[in-house]
Amino acid sequence: MMLMLATNWGYSIDVDKLPLLLTVDEFDSMGGSSMSSGYEAKQATLNGVSQAIRDYCGWHVAPKLTCKAVVPDSAHVILPSMGVTELTETVSTVEPRHANSYGVIDMRRQALLEVTYVAGFDMVDALKQAAYQIAANHLVATAGLREEHAGQVGATYNQTDNGVSGGVRLLASDKAMLAPYKLVGV
C-alpha cells in the first residue's frame, strides 16, 4: 500500500513533497539571474509562488501524479483535479455514523467512493511563464520602505497589489493567465 500525502485541496497524492512549479535554475534561465536577490530569496519566493498558484487553482496543477480522493458516490462523480488521464481504482465505502456536539446521531449514511486516478499537467511553458512573472513581480517589489520624505514627514511603501505591501500576490493579469488551470467553483 502506498503512502499518500494529504493536500489542502481535498485529496491525497503519491509524493512526499510537491515539486515547485518553477525551480531557481529555471527562473534564472528565463531572466531571473539578472535580479540581485540571492538563491535563498528566490527559493523562498518560488515556494510561495507555487503555493499561491495551486491555492488559486484549487488543486496541484502540475506535474502528473497519482491522486486519491473520497467523493460522494453518484451517477456523476466530480474529482478535485483536472488533466485526469487514468482512473486506476474505485472503492465504494460508507461514511461512518457520528454524533454532533449535542450528541445527536445522524442515522443517514452517505455512500462514498474512494477514487485513485492520475491527474495533472506536464510542466507547460504557459504555467512556467506565469510562475516566472509572479515571482519576478514579487522580487522587484519586496515589502518595505520605498522612499521617505523629510519635510512634512511621510513614507511610501512598495506594494505587491493595490493597498498590499509584502507577500506573494496574484494580480488580475496573473489570474487571467491561470484561468485555464482553475477548477470551476474554486
Side-chain angles (χ1 to χ4, degrees), residues 142-157:
T142 56
L145 196 59
R146 184 170 65 197
E147 62 184 58
E148 292 181 272
H149 312 279
Q152 301 294 341
V153 183
T156 305
Y157 295 89

Side-chain angles (χ1 to χ4, degrees), residues 56-59 78-82 179-186:
Y56 174 74
C57 292
W59 68 295
I78 298 173
L79 297 173
S81 302
M82 292 172 66
Y181 307 102
K182 185 173 171 45
L183 291 179
V184 175
V186 175

Side-chain angles (χ1 to χ4, degrees), residues 7-165:
T7 69
N8 298 334
W9 313 292
Y11 63 96
S12 299
I13 52 176
D14 72 343
V15 294
D16 294 332
K17 183 180 179 191
L18 269 171
L20 295 177
L21 295 175
L22 186 67
T23 66
V24 173
D25 289 339
E26 291 169 325
F27 179 80
D28 283 347
S29 72
M30 294 172 77
S33 61
S34 63
M35 295 187 181
S36 62
S37 301
Y39 183 89
E40 292 80 17
K42 290 176 185 175
Q43 182 74 34
T45 296
L46 291 168
N47 283 335
V49 166
S50 292
Q51 188 66 45
I53 288 172
R54 288 173 168 143
D55 286 345
Y56 174 74
C57 292
W59 68 295
H60 77 273
V61 186
K64 286 185 180 183
L65 297 172
T66 298
C67 308
K68 187 177 285 189
V70 177
V71 295
D73 192 356
S74 67
H76 299 281
V77 172
I78 298 173
L79 297 173
S81 302
M82 292 172 66
V84 176
T85 57
E86 187 179 343
L87 187 61
T88 56
E89 182 180 24
T90 58
V91 178
S92 292
T93 63
V94 176
E95 183 177 36
R97 295 181 180 138
H98 61 280
N100 66 17
S101 61
Y102 299 105
V104 176
I105 298 174
D106 184 354
M107 296 304 287
R108 296 170 294 171
R109 293 168 62 146
Q110 170 71 51
L112 300 173
L113 195 60
E114 183 180 85
V115 182
T116 305
Y117 56 98
V118 176
F121 296 107
D122 290 325
M123 296 304 277
V124 294
D125 289 339
L127 191 56
K128 287 184 179 288
Q129 186 60 44
Y132 174 81
Q133 181 176 312
I134 296 163
N137 286 344
H138 172 76
L139 289 169
V140 298
T142 56
L145 196 59
R146 184 170 65 197
E147 62 184 58
E148 292 181 272
H149 312 279
Q152 301 294 341
V153 183
T156 305
Y157 295 89
N158 282 327
Q159 295 186 351
T160 54
D161 200 359
N162 190 21
V164 179
S165 179

